[in-house]
Amino acid sequence: MSRAVAVLLCAGGSVRMGFDKLLTPIAGKTAIERSMDALISGGVQEIVFAVSPSTRGFVESLVCPVPSQIVEGGDIRAQSVKNALGAIAHADIVAIHDAARCMVSPETVRESILSAEAFGSGVVAGKVTDTIMQLDGEHVLPLDRSKLIRMQTPQTFRFDRIKAAYESGDLAAVTDDCALYIAAGYAPHFVFTEGEAANQKLTTGADWQLALATYARFGTGYDTHRLVEGRKLILGGVEIPFEKGLLGHSDADVLTHAVMDALLGAAGIGDIGRLFPDNDAAYAGADSVELLREVVRRIESAGFRVAHVDATIICERPKIKPHAASMQARLGEAMHLAPESVSIKATTTEGMNDEGKGLCISASAVASLV
Ligand code: MG
């Protein structure tokens, strides 16, 4: 079996995005990590990271599950690739990949490696669906899109061939590896990404939005508290006049508890029982909206933002509807969401079950994070 090594380019500037696109987490993981994971799942056995002064520290702190090394990137992409190729001691196949193309699938990586084994190269590319015109001063020339393709990465080659192409080629004249491969006299073999999730490069704000949507996460939460006399009824951070209230260690705000569990579930960081143990005196009588703020703080520091919450309160009485707007406003503010992104509904159980008999109130919630 051949030995496949990846060159992962993490040296590009983020001038067009306004923030560091390679180091800002998308749903908890940076583009560098997502690209690294896809390359390893796709079959590479070693990674050479080409870094810039701004990405070096992060890459050095990464735990890479396969052998890896770090090289200094150059002023231009081709120089970074050349530096990385020079650091490879032994490889049959080299997959060269831009870290900013972090939505690449492991299947695409694997196909490009298999193509390079069979044909000497496996250059990932997309077909063109828009009509393209070439502007040449006053002259506009319509191009035949059936003859155009969009170059992507990974671009995977037999190591000896691409290394020689980089030694002899004019690095300043090209913007990708395939052009040097062609200049060295080889005919590239393409791997097309049709019918697959976008292998879009993170360049503009629109690309960033696409990445956020691609990695959106969902979670569910559910909670029940007993209705007793002599307690306030707090739902969604709002005190509701009623002859009974919910029993619990905190303020027993069953709706806010369900919402918190949905958020924690979506982020994959536990549940409220683990975060705020009910045998911890610190949380006795706690305002659950304050706990929600803490949950949101943790979610945001894990690289997520709350996108939407939908919740249902299950109770026979009191009527929820007159209070729903206040709950939406209070919970929304704590989650950094507009009230219209917090949906609060209510249902009865037609006198059945413990909710229907007025013994308890329950709530369920679904949350999405980007
Ligand atoms: Mg609870």
Side-chain angles (χ1 to χ4, degrees), residues 223-225 257 272:
D223 197 19
T224 300
H225 281 265
H257 292 186
I272 51 175

Side-chain angles (χ1 to χ4, degrees), residues 61-269:
S61 74
L62 268 184
V63 179
C64 182
V66 298
S68 65
Q69 41 179 328
I70 296 175
V71 300
E72 204 62 55
D75 289 340
I76 55 171
R77 183 187 183 279
Q79 188 59 51
S80 299
V81 175
K82 190 174 183 183
N83 294 357
L85 293 174
I88 297 172
H90 167 57
D92 302 304
I93 301 292
V94 178
I96 302 167
H97 186 63
D98 293 322
R101 226 176 262 282
C102 65
M103 290 179 273
V104 70
S105 70
E107 291 70 34
T108 295
V109 173
R110 188 174 302 280
E111 268 191 65
S112 79
I113 292 172
L114 291 174
S115 169
E117 284 176 343
F119 308 107
S121 63
V123 176
V124 175
K127 299 245 168 83
V128 172
T129 52
D130 293 329
T131 293
I132 310 245
M133 302 219 182
Q134 184 177 310
L135 298 181
D136 189 6
E138 294 289 287
H139 218 75
V140 181
L141 179 66
L143 300 179
D144 178 358
R145 73 176 174 207
S146 69
K147 291 181 180 161
L148 298 173
I149 58 173
R150 297 181 298 122
M151 307 308 294
Q152 302 177 351
T153 69
Q155 299 197 357
T156 306
F157 307 90
R158 268 181 45 185
F159 177 54
D160 53 348
R161 289 188 185 179
I162 195 69
K163 188 157 189 221
Y166 265 90
E167 311 268 286
S168 62
D170 177 3
L171 302 194
V174 298
T175 54
D176 78 344
D177 318 292
C178 186
L180 279 173
Y181 190 72
I182 294 167
Y186 297 108
H189 198 271
F190 295 104
V191 170
F192 288 104
T193 50
E194 258 50 54
E196 187 184 283
N199 186 17
Q200 191 75 15
K201 189 174 182 178
L202 299 178
T203 308
T204 65
D207 304 327
W208 190 258
Q209 290 303 320
L210 175 67
L212 290 177
T214 301
Y215 299 113
R217 304 258 300 243
F218 301 89
T220 71
Y222 180 81
D223 197 19
T224 300
H225 281 265
R226 203 179 283 275
L227 264 178
V228 296
E229 285 173 358
R231 294 263 302 179
K232 288 181 184 171
L233 178 60
I234 313 279
L235 288 173
V238 175
E239 185 173 339
I240 296 173
F242 192 53
E243 72 260 22
K244 290 181 176 179
L246 293 171
L247 182 63
H249 182 66
S250 66
D251 63 5
D253 182 342
V254 68
L255 171 60
T256 304
H257 292 186
V259 167
M260 285 194 278
D261 261 352
L263 296 174
L264 291 166
I269 53 174

